[in-house]
Structure formats: structure tokens, C-alpha cells
């Protein structure tokens, strides 16, 4: 693609002057004006020819650092263009087309190049920085280069249609650790550390059966129960953590199902989810990440493996809401089981929802609820049945809300 009008303002003025010379020469019979007009036309033609002697490569390649961008953080883009030219080239202007998901200054001066009589291709490297503003997978491009001849009379605009995908993942916010709750809901790292020393095994009492050694009789428990009880070493269990990201579109807006980054409420839910996942895995929890109907969103994450968290963050760059709403069926997922922390992230939330998910509390050592758009009575009801609940709107301070919900079980939006 090239501009329809190939001349700069200076070249346009030269063309107009040439036409005027022709007209005046014809009217008054001044031959010198005719020669001057022909000279101007010749210069303009030579300018156009010199521009088209510059041959650029058909492709532009881009590299990103880091490979996966993050909402609110910069990413460096390096574009490389091959140039072949038997003549020196003047400086020009370049501009790369940015999608709505990123912002930055993607333009500047295209450097001048010396002559290359050998015909070998030389690479021009263009670097700029963009910042992710919208989660998702976006395309950068096309890139255009506008060149002028050495006299600044003609211009040529070349467009490289190649685009480059850039992945903008949700940001991981720093949340406080669950160190003060490890005794009740502890993670695998905590348990493993205890097992290295004494006290990793718990002593429990069970009824005496024939064949048990008399040395194992637990006299205090026997006196309390009225029957012989014996000591039994029970290995400390490692409760798992479960993060539930409710993707039902009825909890958000229709845009959450059609485009990433379009619904601020759903974006807040995704950010909370990946931040909580990172916190739990960092603290050593073996974490399952599921939808409200139990569908796994990712493979099970091992405690302490932060590499897997980065993989999940990349996957969450493209997660969207879905049509079905299964929040009221959530208790069925935990029927007959007992687990560690259960963190539920949802959107719209009312009192009926709080009543429906109340049974989950009895299957978790630490039930935490985050709702983007709850009603006041809904969070009060959730607190009454045992949830640690907090309201998180798109402008809320998620780190403070996490700390408040975990430590005090309050229902409050932190701003």
C-alpha cells in the first residue's frame, strides 16, 4: 500500500510551479520558463525513481521481552526490517499499529542508510515499549515506513502487513501469606518442614483390640472413655486447596462471554483468582482450580511450583465467561470430602446464593468468598454461615480485602 499522492508539500509546490511555468511560457512566449518547468518535472521524476530503487524486505519480524506481557506492566518490542538499496537513503518515519489492548509510542524516525552496491540486505532494528491495558491475545501490526528522497520532494509509504501476536496476561497481586493459619489449614511445605523434625506425627487414641501391646495403652483416654484405648500414630494429613472461579455469564455482563478485557467485573474476578492461586501455591498448597460445576480449568498445581503458576497466568490471558450458571450446585463437589482452603470467586451474589453454597463451609478448613457485585444482605448471610467474605469491585484494593477476609472474616470492600 502506498499513498495516493506521492509528493510532499515541497514536491507539490514544485509541480504547481512547473505547471505555472508551462502556462506562462505558452501565454507570453518565454522559452526559458518552458525549460525551467521541464527541469522541475525531471527533478520530480528522478525523486520518485530514487525512492523506488530502495528495496525493503517483504517481511518484518518482531520479538517481545518478556514473551508474555502483563496488564499494567511494560513490554519491549523489537521490530527488524531488511533494507537493500544501491543508493543512500534519507531518514523517514515509521509507525507500528497497536491494538486496543496495549498502549505506547510505536513510532519514530526511520534511520538513513548508506549505499549498498553489493546488494546485501542490511537490517534496521526498531525498538519501542508498550504497556498492557487489556487482558487477552492481541495483534501488533501492520508496520508502515514513510520515506522521502534526499531533496524532500517525493515520498513513498510501504506497509508491512505481517502482524505479531502479543499475549497480555492478568497481573498477579501480592497477597499476605497464610502463615498464621497453617495450624488449621496448613500447606504441604509447612507439613514437610515439620516432618523433618519431631512432632510431625500426631498421637491419637483408638479402642483396644486383642493383640495390641499393653505398652501402647493410653491410660488418660481410657479413663475418660471408660474402655481401654491405645495410642496410634497418625501421619499428619496435607489438606489441599481449591480455587473456584465462577464463570457463569449471568454473574457478570454479556461482554465477559464475547471478549477478554471487556467486563471490568470479570477482569477483577480473574485477577483475584490468579493472585490467590499464586499465594496458595507459594505457601505450599496443592491447588485445584475449577469452575463452579467442577470442570478443571487447569491441571492440579503442586505446592511450591511457581513455574506452573506462570503457565496458568498465560492460560488465563484468554479465559472468558460461559453461558451456564452452576453456582447453586457447588456443594455437590465437596459432598463427603474434607479439604483445606476453598476460595470462591464470583460476580453477582445475593442472599439465595449464600444459602445455596452454605454447606461448602462444613467441608473446608478455611472457606473464603470474594464477590464482585454482592448485595449487602448476601455477604452478611455468608458470614453468618461461616464464610470469610469480602466484596471486590473493579476499583477495590484486593490485597487489603484478602487480608481482611482471611484474618477477620469481614465483608468489606477495600479501596
Amino acid at each position: 500500500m502506498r499513498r495516493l499522492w506521492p509528493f510532499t508539500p515541497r514536491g507539490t509546490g514544485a509541480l504547481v510551479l512547473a505547471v505555472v511555468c508551462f502556462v506562462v511560457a505558452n501565454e507570453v512566449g518565454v522559452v526559458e520558463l518552458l525549460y525551467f518547468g521541464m527541469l522541475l518535472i525531471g527533478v520530480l521524476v528522478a525523486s520518485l525513481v530514487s525512492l523506488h530503487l530502495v528495496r525493503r524486505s517483504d517481511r518484518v519480524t518482531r520479538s517481545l521481552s518478556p514473551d508474555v506481557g502483563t496488564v499494567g506492566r511494560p513490554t519491549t518490542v523489537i521490530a527488524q526490517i531488511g533494507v537493500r538499496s544501491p543508493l543512500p537513503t534519507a531518514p523517514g518515519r515509521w509507525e507500528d499499529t497497536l491494538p486496543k489492548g496495549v498502549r505506547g509510542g510505536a513510532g519514530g524516525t526511520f534511520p538513513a542508510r548508506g549505499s549498498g552496491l553489493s546488494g546485501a540486505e542490511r537490517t534496521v532494528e526498531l525498538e519501542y515499549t508498550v504497556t498492557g491495558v487489556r487482558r487477552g491475545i492481541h495483534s501488533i501490526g501492520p508496520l508502515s515506513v514513510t520515506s522521502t528522497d534526499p531533496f524532500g520532494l517525493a515520498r513513498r509509504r510501504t506497509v508491512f502487513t505481517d502482524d505479531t501476536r502479543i499475549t497480555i496476561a492478568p497481573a498477579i497481586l501480592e497477597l499476605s501469606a497464610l502463615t498464621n493459619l497453617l495450624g488449621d489449614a496448613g500447606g504441604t511445605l509447612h507439613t514437610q518442614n515439620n516432618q523433618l523434625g519431631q512432632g510431625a506425627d500426631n498421637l491419637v487414641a483408638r479402642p483396644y483390640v486383642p493383640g495390641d501391646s499393653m505398652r501402647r495403652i493410653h491410660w488418660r483416654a481410657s479413663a475418660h472413655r471408660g474402655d481401654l484405648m491405645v495410642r496410634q500414630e497418625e501421619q499428619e494429613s496435607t489438606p489441599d486447596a481449591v480455587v473456584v472461579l465462577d464463570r457463569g455469564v449471568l454473574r457478570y455482563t454479556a461482554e465477559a462471554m464475547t471478549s477478554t478485557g471487556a467486563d471490568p467485573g470479570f477482569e477483577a474476578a480473574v485477577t483475584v483468582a490468579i493472585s490467590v492461586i499464586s499465594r496458595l501455591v507459594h505457601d505450599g498448597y496443592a491447588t485445584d482450580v475449577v469452575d463452579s460445576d467442577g470442570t478443571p480449568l487447569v491441571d492440579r498445581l503442586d505446592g511450591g511450583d511457581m513455574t506452573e503458576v506462570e503457565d496458568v497466568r498465560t492460560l488465563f490471558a484468554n479465559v472468558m465467561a460461559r453461558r451456564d450458571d452452576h453456582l447453586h450446585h457447588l456443594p455437590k463437589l465437596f459432598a463427603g470430602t474434607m479439604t483445606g482452603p476453598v476460595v470462591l470467586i464470583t460476580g453477582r451474589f445475593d442472599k439465595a446464593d449464600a444459602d445455596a453454597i452454605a454447606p461448602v463451609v462444613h467441608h473446608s478448613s478455611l472457606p473464603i468468598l470474594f464477590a464482585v457485585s454482592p448485595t449487602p444482605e448476601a455477604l452478611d448471610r455468608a458470614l453468618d454461615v461461616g464464610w470469610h467474605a469480602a466484596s471486590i469491585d473493579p476499583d477495590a484494593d484486593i490485597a487489603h480485602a484478602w487480608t481482611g477476609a482471611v484474618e477477620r472474616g469481614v465483608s468489606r470492600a477495600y479501596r
Side-chain angles (χ1 to χ4, degrees):
M1 295 177 58
R2 295 177 176 83
R3 293 183 184 272
L4 294 178
W5 186 247
F7 297 113
T8 64
R10 182 184 300 177
T12 302
L15 180 60
V16 172
L17 182 58
V19 173
V20 171
C21 289
F22 291 145
V23 173
V24 173
N26 182 62
E27 292 293 334
V28 301
V30 180
V31 179
E32 290 78 4
L33 290 178
L34 182 62
Y35 293 153
F36 184 70
M38 294 178 62
L39 176 62
L40 290 177
I41 295 297
V43 171
L44 292 174
V45 172
S47 299
L48 290 174
V49 171
S50 67
L51 284 178
H52 287 79
L53 288 177
V54 178
R55 300 187 303 276
R56 295 190 172 89
S57 61
D58 296 330
R59 298 180 60 83
V60 57
T61 59
R62 300 179 184 86
S63 59
L64 308 175
S65 179
D67 294 336
V68 178
T70 303
V71 173
R73 296 180 183 174
T75 298
T76 300
V77 182
I78 298 177
Q80 294 182 329
I81 303 175
V83 177
R84 296 186 182 94
S85 175
L87 300 175
T89 61
R93 299 290 302 177
W94 66 271
E95 183 178 6
D96 212 352
T97 304
L98 298 181
K100 293 181 179 179
V102 299
R103 66 167 180 262
T109 301
F110 195 84
R113 309 298 295 177
S115 62
L117 298 179
S118 63
E121 183 177 86
R122 290 166 296 172
T123 300
V124 175
E125 191 173 275
L126 310 173
E127 180 177 331
Y128 60 94
T129 300
V130 297
T131 301
V133 295
R134 183 169 175 173
R135 181 180 60 88
I137 299 177
H138 313 284
S139 295
I140 298 178
L143 185 146
S144 63
V145 176
T146 302
S147 304
T148 58
D149 68 287
F151 298 103
L153 299 176
R155 60 189 172 193
R156 176 188 179 191
R157 183 171 183 260
T158 305
V159 177
F160 302 92
T161 58
D162 303 276
D163 58 11
T164 301
R165 295 291 182 91
I166 179 172
T167 300
I168 302 297
I172 296 179
L173 305 181
E174 186 67 26
L175 305 181
S176 59
L178 297 178
T179 53
N180 59 326
L181 297 170
L182 288 176
D184 297 327
T188 52
L189 292 183
H190 175 76
T191 302
Q192 291 170 355
N193 291 338
N194 281 345
Q195 290 174 348
L196 294 177
Q198 297 180 355
D201 295 335
N202 295 328
L203 296 179
V204 298
R206 62 168 176 81
Y208 172 86
V209 295
D212 286 336
S213 172
M214 296 299 293
R215 292 179 299 178
R216 299 177 64 86
I217 292 179
H218 195 306
W219 296 108
R220 180 178 298 177
S222 298
H224 181 72
R225 287 290 189 91
D227 295 316
L228 284 178
M229 306 290 289
V230 296
R231 294 183 178 89
Q232 174 177 284
E233 293 183 352
E234 182 182 57
Q235 191 74 16
E236 183 180 359
S237 62
T238 303
D240 301 324
V242 180
V243 176
V244 182
L245 176 58
D246 183 12
R247 297 189 300 145
V249 71
L250 295 180
R251 306 284 168 180
Y252 308 97
T253 64
E255 288 79 6
M257 193 174 63
T258 58
S259 177
T260 57
D263 178 15
F266 189 73
E267 296 308 300
V270 173
T271 299
V272 171
I274 189 60
S275 300
V276 170
I277 292 169
S278 177
R279 182 73 268 171
L280 293 174
V281 173
H282 183 273
D283 286 347
Y285 293 91
T287 306
D288 291 298
V289 184
V290 299
D291 203 338
S292 56
D293 64 348
T295 303
L297 299 181
V298 297
D299 294 333
R300 181 181 176 86
L301 305 174
D302 296 327
D305 192 345
M306 299 307 293
T307 302
E308 293 185 352
V309 175
E310 284 301 314
D311 294 338
V312 175
R313 192 174 74 93
T314 302
L315 181 65
F316 272 23
N318 207 34
V319 68
M320 291 189 292
R322 67 177 190 174
R323 189 176 303 278
D324 300 327
D325 184 14
H326 297 283
L327 184 61
H328 285 200
H329 303 293
L330 186 64
K332 296 180 180 180
L333 303 181
F334 298 92
T337 64
M338 185 66 188
T339 186
V342 172
V343 182
L344 168 62
I345 303 104
T346 186
R348 296 188 181 95
F349 189 75
D350 56 28
K351 187 176 180 180
D353 298 325
D355 291 332
I357 65 172
V360 178
V361 171
H362 305 292
H363 300 274
S364 170
S365 60
L366 181 61
I368 302 175
L369 167 67
F370 288 113
V372 177
S373 303
T375 60
E377 60 274 13
L379 286 186
D380 291 339
R381 177 57 180 164
L383 290 168
D384 291 340
V385 300
W387 285 96
H388 294 241
S391 171
I392 298 293
D393 63 38
D395 299 322
D397 188 330
I398 294 174
H400 281 81
W402 164 264
T403 301
V406 168
E407 295 183 355
R408 298 183 294 276
V410 297
S411 76
R412 186 179 300 129
Y414 289 83
R415 297 178 182 277

